[in-house]
Amino acid sequence: MGRLWLLRLVIAFGFAQAAVSMARPAVSYRALALGADERAIGVIAGVYALLPLFAAVPLGRRTDHGRCAPLLYAGVALIAGGCALSGLAGSLPAMAAWSGVMGLGHLCFVIGAQSIVARRSAPAEQDRNFGHFTIGASLGQLAGPVAAGALIDDDMARTSALALVVSAAVAAVSLTSMWRIELRHKGVGHNRDAAAAKVPVHRILRTRGVPAGIFISLAVLSATDILTAYLPVVGEHRGIAPTVVGLLLSLRAAATIACRLVMTPMIRRLGRTTLLTVTCLLGGVLCAGIALPVPLWALALMLAALGFCLGVGQPLSMTTVVQAAPAGARSTALALRLTGNRLGQVAAPASAGLVAGLAGAAAPFVMLGVLLVVSGGTAVRTGRAGRGPSAGVGQNGGSPDGSAGGAPDGGAEGGARGSMAGGLPGGAMGGARGGAAGSTAGGASREAGGPGRR
């Protein structure tokens, strides 16, 4: 029963993400049926991230002060509404607007879900739990495009609308596994997080490790997002059927799931910094390779390898940001990470649309390849930024409910404050800061129960 909450959260996230991953290519096909060109596709994909760009930090502040679960329910309602109304829309501006509603719903769900994982996970469990949590996203990304491809045929106007309505129903299914998914503590929103409002955004952004985690997440998500939006366009140009495009996108998602299942031993063997750097660099090369006119089997192999590489960035960037952020403002830090993601989702599709209009539908993948290579260089800095907040915090790793554990605040607040009793509610807050065997100047003990940054 100890981690049943995580399993139910993964299931809920899987259905919510499946709805979005089913709707995104369906929106592209419906827009094509309504006369959109590559640039219009880029604009619609960008609007998906526009509302979340402005809403992320306020929602994060609210979550630092209160409960997370209401955001899950609001997110599901907005996703379902955005999907259904996109299917009923008869113009490109209306489709763009409802796509924005869908994006806002996805943001609400993800902020709430990530904050639950952060609160209920001991520091030494965060790599594993965030990795398992993101399997839900990968499962959704695996099933969604296949379902969309199965429903959409040559009558794109009618069948893409049907796929969007079905995706709304899929989103609603996630409600079935969300009961009592959050621990309720006395004082949530009052005593525990009173200091959160005192942590300004600029201080969070200046914390070593946070900017690197945000940029890596931005690059990886932009690659995933543009791949989902533009592979159907590439398929149209190369004569690849929608069903096959759906299978290719699902192959990419299946490889991401495989990566996250073996992430813990990979971190133990290579270290977090090396793993992030290698996968970002290799992912950049593979992403640029999609622009080449390769045979279908070679494209499938590249997408599988790319999916494996992209599986590393999201969960490890979550851990990097959570463990680097000031105590009491971790939901806000995660929201800033999501703001970076949405900024990428606004800028990348707009840039991709411009590049595609000038150089062809495959050109955006070269642009994304460059972005991933740059993020690989940034990943090196995560190792220099703080060796140790990643692993654990002394001998007392802390239990998932936050009792008697060390916080991931790093060595600056480590050993000197060791052995404070009684955990704060919420796993990511850790219990007592430091722990008896706390860290020194950012270095944490390897024996803390998890691999440290290298």
Side-chain angles (χ1 to χ4, degrees):
M1 296 293 291
R3 289 203 297 150
L4 183 60
W5 65 270
L6 182 59
L7 175 61
R8 292 193 288 111
L9 188 60
V10 168
I11 292 170
F13 192 21
F15 279 105
Q17 184 64 54
V20 172
S21 296
M22 185 178 179
R24 296 300 300 283
V27 164
S28 295
Y29 281 119
R30 182 156 177 78
L32 289 171
L34 293 174
D37 58 12
E38 288 87 352
R39 294 177 185 177
I41 297 291
V43 170
I44 292 172
V47 171
Y48 170 85
L50 191 60
L51 285 176
L53 183 63
F54 299 103
V57 171
L59 289 173
R61 290 290 195 197
R62 179 224 168 271
T63 308
D64 274 326
H65 292 171
R67 296 180 58 216
C68 309
L71 279 182
L72 302 184
Y73 293 100
V76 171
L78 290 170
I79 290 171
C83 291
L85 292 168
S86 294
L88 299 176
S91 68
L92 295 179
M95 288 199 65
W98 294 123
S99 181
V101 171
M102 188 197 315
L104 181 62
H106 189 260
L107 174 81
C108 290
F109 190 97
V110 171
I111 288 179
Q114 287 182 6
S115 298
I116 288 173
V117 175
R119 289 181 182 181
R120 298 195 64 171
S121 301
E125 297 174 339
Q126 286 175 349
D127 279 336
R128 182 196 64 195
N129 286 357
F130 275 122
H132 289 173
F133 165 70
T134 53
I135 287 175
S138 299
L139 289 169
Q141 291 165 357
L142 173 67
V146 170
L151 289 173
I152 299 171
D153 58 24
D154 292 337
D155 185 6
M156 283 196 295
R158 182 184 64 83
T159 55
S160 61
L162 174 62
L164 286 164
V165 173
V166 171
S167 68
V170 171
V173 176
S174 64
L175 296 171
T176 60
S177 65
M178 284 164 44
W179 76 95
R180 294 185 180 180
I181 207 165
E182 179 182 21
L183 287 177
R184 302 190 67 173
H185 296 278
K186 293 181 180 179
V188 168
H190 299 284
N191 298 331
R192 188 192 70 189
D193 293 322
K198 299 179 182 179
V199 183
V201 169
H202 69 82
R203 179 186 161 192
I204 300 172
L205 290 174
R206 291 173 62 186
T207 303
R208 297 183 70 181
V210 171
I214 290 173
F215 183 74
I216 292 166
S217 180
L218 180 155
V220 170
L221 187 67
S222 294
T224 304
D225 202 55
I226 296 302
L227 186 64
T228 303
Y230 269 85
L231 196 61
V233 181
V234 172
E236 280 289 300
H237 282 244
R238 298 184 186 177
I240 303 173
T243 303
V244 178
V245 170
L247 290 172
L248 289 173
L249 289 172
S250 295
L251 177 64
R252 195 278 312 162
T256 298
I257 294 172
C259 169
R260 288 167 180 170
L261 288 172
V262 299
M263 186 176 297
T264 300
M266 287 195 299
I267 294 172
R268 190 176 297 119
R269 184 173 183 83
L270 299 176
R272 179 181 286 107
T273 302
T274 301
L275 185 60
L276 269 173
T277 302
V278 170
T279 54
C280 286
L281 293 175
L282 182 57
V285 173
L286 291 166
C287 196
I290 295 173
L292 300 175
V294 296
L296 183 59
W297 63 266
L299 180 62
L301 288 177
M302 284 195 294
L303 286 169
L306 177 60
F308 193 90
C309 292
L310 295 178
V312 171
Q314 290 297 324
L316 292 195
S317 68
M318 291 178 202
T319 306
T320 299
V321 169
V322 165
Q323 296 185 345
R330 293 194 174 100
S331 290
T332 302
L334 285 169
L336 286 170
R337 173 185 166 275
L338 290 171
T339 300
N341 287 353
R342 296 310 187 257
L343 179 62
Q345 287 181 303
V346 170
S351 302
L354 179 62
V355 171
L358 296 174
F365 295 106
V366 177
M367 178 190 74
L368 292 172
V370 173
L371 185 64
L372 284 170
V373 169
V374 174
S375 74
T378 305
V380 177
R381 298 179 61 84
T382 66
R384 298 172 183 168
R387 300 174 175 270
S390 62
V393 279
Q395 302 290 337
N396 300 332
S399 65
D401 63 356
S403 58
D409 296 322
E413 294 184 272
R417 300 189 187 185
S419 64
M420 292 172 60
L424 296 171
M429 303 305 173
R433 289 186 179 173
S439 49
T440 60
S445 170
R446 179 83 180 206
E447 289 76 33
R453 290 193 188 108
R454 295 181 179 176

